[in-house]
């Protein structure tokens, strides 16, 4: 086995070397209290495929990933599917609602900006939930069918091309949220609580990025190997990618008067069509303005643009549509 950890290493080493592995272990359904048992002994006891476990640990603890092809070959897909499904449950049912509760405690709900930050977070949570539920209901069942030796007309690339929200767009929303809290939220009263929730957001971001990276590489390539299996009917040779490529921003720049007006109307809750009518321009022009604004400010969500508009005096708080 290539990588930092091997079958004969004590399981406790995995955690004492990197506390983040605690989450990974629980997602495999392995509970603590393994004493001096080795990785192989603990996995056997918990009915977890040892090679898949080691591959995931080595993937997460060594970011070099020089031996990705070898790693992919060691993956047992049913074990991987269980792991990913448990990770989804962790994010949707536990981690994201927990951060929301903390956020509610940390921000002053009488403040308009606090309400918008919460709205922003809710939009982010909804995006992650839709994304992961799509994987649960479309991607995973497809792989389960392949494992049963059955293949329909679609391939992984077809299914993932209809995927709700890409990994990069979800991560971008979280980066924006952090930026907005750091730049614009005055934390006079609950400074400790707010830094605490920010730390949580940083940690969940790292966790989410690792999850996505594993899906894009290990999982995706293991499924593609299976798709090429001669045991399946009508195999096709075709490359597929789980997630579309990220969109980069050019950084901040000065906003034109027209762009400031578009932001003001967005913050008032107007649709692109309504903005076009009000400004006597085409809907396409509004969309171009919005793209340029998002690129300049690196803010894409409506709630984020609204916060920007309030903080920069483009709109009065009373005129904002919540
Ligand atoms: Fe996922
Ligand atoms: Fe995903």
């Amino acid at each position: 086995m290539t990588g930092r950890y091997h079958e004969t290493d004590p399981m406790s080493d995995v955690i004492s070397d990197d506390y983040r592995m605690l989450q990974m272990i629980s997602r495999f359904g392995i509970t603590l209290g393994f004493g001096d048992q080795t990785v192989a002994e603990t996995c056997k006891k918990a009915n977890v495929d040892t090679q898949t476990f080691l591959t995931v640990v080595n993937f997460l603890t060594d970011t070099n990933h020089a031996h990705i092809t070898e790693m992919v070959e060691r993956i047992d897909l049913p074990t991987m599917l269980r792991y990913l499904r448990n990770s989804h449950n962790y994010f949707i049912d536990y981690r994201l609602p927990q951060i929301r509760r903390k956020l509610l405690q940390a921000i002053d709900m009488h403040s308009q900006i606090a309400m918008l930050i919460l709205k922003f977070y809710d939009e982010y949570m909804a995006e992650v939930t839709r994304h992961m539920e799509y994987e649960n209901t479309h991607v995973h069942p497809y792989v389960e069918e392949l494992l049963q030796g059955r293949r329909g007309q679609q391939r992984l690339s077809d299914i993932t091309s209809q995927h709700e929200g890409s990994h990069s767009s979800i991560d971008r929303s979280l980066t924006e949220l952090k930026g907005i809290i750091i730049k614009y939220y005055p934390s006079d009263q609950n400074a400790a609580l707010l830094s605490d929730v920010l730390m949580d957001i940083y940690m969940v971001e790292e966790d989410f990025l690792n999850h996505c990276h594993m899906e894009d590489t290990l999982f995706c390539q293991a499924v593609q190997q299976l798709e090429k299996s001669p045991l399946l009917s009508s195999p096709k040779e075709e490359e597929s990618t789980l997630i579309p490529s990220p969109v980069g921003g050019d950084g901040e720049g000065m906003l034109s008067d027209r762009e400031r007006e578009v932001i003001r109307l967005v913050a008032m809750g107007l649709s692109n069509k309504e903005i076009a009518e009000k400004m006597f321009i085409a809907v396409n022009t509004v969309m171009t303005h919005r793209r340029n604004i998002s690129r300049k400010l690196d803010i894409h969500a409506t709630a984020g643009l609204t916060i920007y508009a309030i903080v920069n005096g483009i709109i009065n708080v009373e005129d904002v549509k919540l």
Side-chain angles (χ1 to χ4, degrees):
M1 162 64 70
T2 344
R4 184 168 169 183
Y5 296 101
H6 304 86
E7 291 181 32
T8 48
D9 287 330
M11 185 62 119
S12 53
D13 279 6
V14 176
I15 294 172
S16 48
D17 290 349
D18 186 342
Y19 69 91
R20 295 170 310 165
M21 294 306 113
L22 272 169
Q23 288 172 332
M24 184 275 305
I25 283 175
S26 74
R27 286 172 202 170
F28 270 107
I30 296 173
T31 49
L32 297 179
F34 26 74
D36 295 323
Q37 285 178 0
T38 63
V39 167
E41 286 163 348
T42 318
C43 285
K44 196 170 172 221
K45 218 169 163 185
N47 243 334
V48 171
D49 178 68
T50 309
Q51 294 308 317
T52 309
F53 177 86
L54 280 169
T55 303
V56 171
V57 179
N58 287 326
F59 181 86
L60 292 173
T61 50
D62 175 14
T63 47
N64 183 6
H65 302 158
H67 306 283
I68 195 84
T69 316
E70 269 177 73
M71 286 177 150
V72 169
E73 280 165 12
R74 292 173 197 275
I75 285 182
D76 172 60
L77 268 172
T79 307
M80 193 68 180
L81 281 173
R82 269 197 304 280
Y83 175 79
L84 292 176
R85 195 81 62 109
N86 288 341
S87 306
H88 293 166
N89 293 343
Y90 169 82
F91 281 107
I92 298 172
D93 299 332
Y94 174 70
R95 193 65 166 126
L96 295 177
Q98 184 207 35
I99 294 180
R100 190 182 192 277
R101 283 195 294 276
K102 272 189 167 179
L103 198 57
L104 267 175
Q105 284 181 325
I107 57 182
D108 169 13
M109 292 314 291
H110 300 299
S111 134
Q112 196 92 347
I113 291 188
M115 292 291 288
L116 285 161
I117 286 176
L118 193 65
K119 191 175 169 204
F120 198 121
Y121 184 78
D122 285 347
E123 282 170 12
Y124 165 75
M125 228 169 106
E127 199 182 359
V128 173
T129 305
R130 277 198 303 274
H131 175 90
M132 291 184 170
E133 279 175 354
Y134 184 86
E135 286 170 350
N136 288 348
T137 55
H138 292 76
V139 179
H140 294 190
Y142 165 74
V143 178
E144 274 154 9
E145 284 287 301
L146 282 183
L147 287 165
Q148 301 288 324
R150 291 189 291 271
R151 175 162 52 210
Q153 293 301 308
Q154 289 194 312
R155 303 289 298 269
L156 180 66
S157 53
D158 302 320
I159 296 164
T160 54
S161 63
Q162 299 147 27
H163 210 304
E164 182 74 63
S166 69
H167 288 157
S168 53
S169 78
I170 293 175
D171 182 54
R172 196 174 56 206
S173 308
L174 197 60
T175 307
E176 282 179 18
L177 176 64
K178 279 185 322 196
I180 282 164
I181 297 178
I182 293 166
K183 282 191 205 163
Y184 304 126
Y185 189 75
S187 64
D188 322 340
Q189 282 154 18
N190 282 330
L193 260 174
L194 197 69
S195 339
D196 195 39
V197 82
L198 266 175
M199 290 279 290
D200 280 358
I201 293 175
Y202 274 103
M203 279 196 274
V204 85
E205 182 180 31
E206 190 190 353
D207 199 3
F208 180 73
L209 281 175
N210 280 332
H211 174 83
C212 299
H213 191 39
M214 200 179 308
E215 282 177 338
D216 289 343
T217 50
L218 285 185
F219 177 66
C220 189
Q221 287 182 31
V223 175
Q224 285 170 342
Q225 288 293 329
L226 184 61
E227 283 179 332
K228 287 177 189 162
S229 164
L231 296 173
L232 294 166
S233 56
S234 65
K236 283 187 284 176
E237 294 300 324
E238 188 180 292
E239 289 300 312
S240 69
T241 308
L242 193 55
I243 293 305
S245 59
V247 181
D250 285 356
E252 282 198 35
M254 287 295 289
L255 293 179
S256 69
D257 289 346
R258 300 293 266 176
E259 287 165 349
R260 286 171 70 87
E261 178 61 5
V262 170
I263 292 192
R264 194 178 69 82
L265 297 173
V266 166
M268 285 173 73
L270 269 64
S271 67
N272 286 347
K273 190 167 170 281
E274 289 166 329
I275 295 172
E277 282 164 10
K278 218 162 175 96
M279 292 179 70
F280 305 107
I281 54 177
V283 176
N284 273 343
T285 314
V286 176
M287 286 160 73
T288 307
H289 280 313
R290 287 197 66 162
R291 267 199 302 277
N292 290 340
I293 292 165
S294 294
R295 183 173 45 80
K296 286 181 182 177
L297 302 179
D298 213 12
I299 300 176
H300 298 76
T302 302
L305 288 175
T306 308
I307 293 170
Y308 180 90
I310 296 173
V311 172
N312 289 282
I314 297 174
I315 191 169
N316 288 326
V317 168
E318 308 83 63
D319 298 329
V320 168
K321 165 122 188 309
L322 277 179

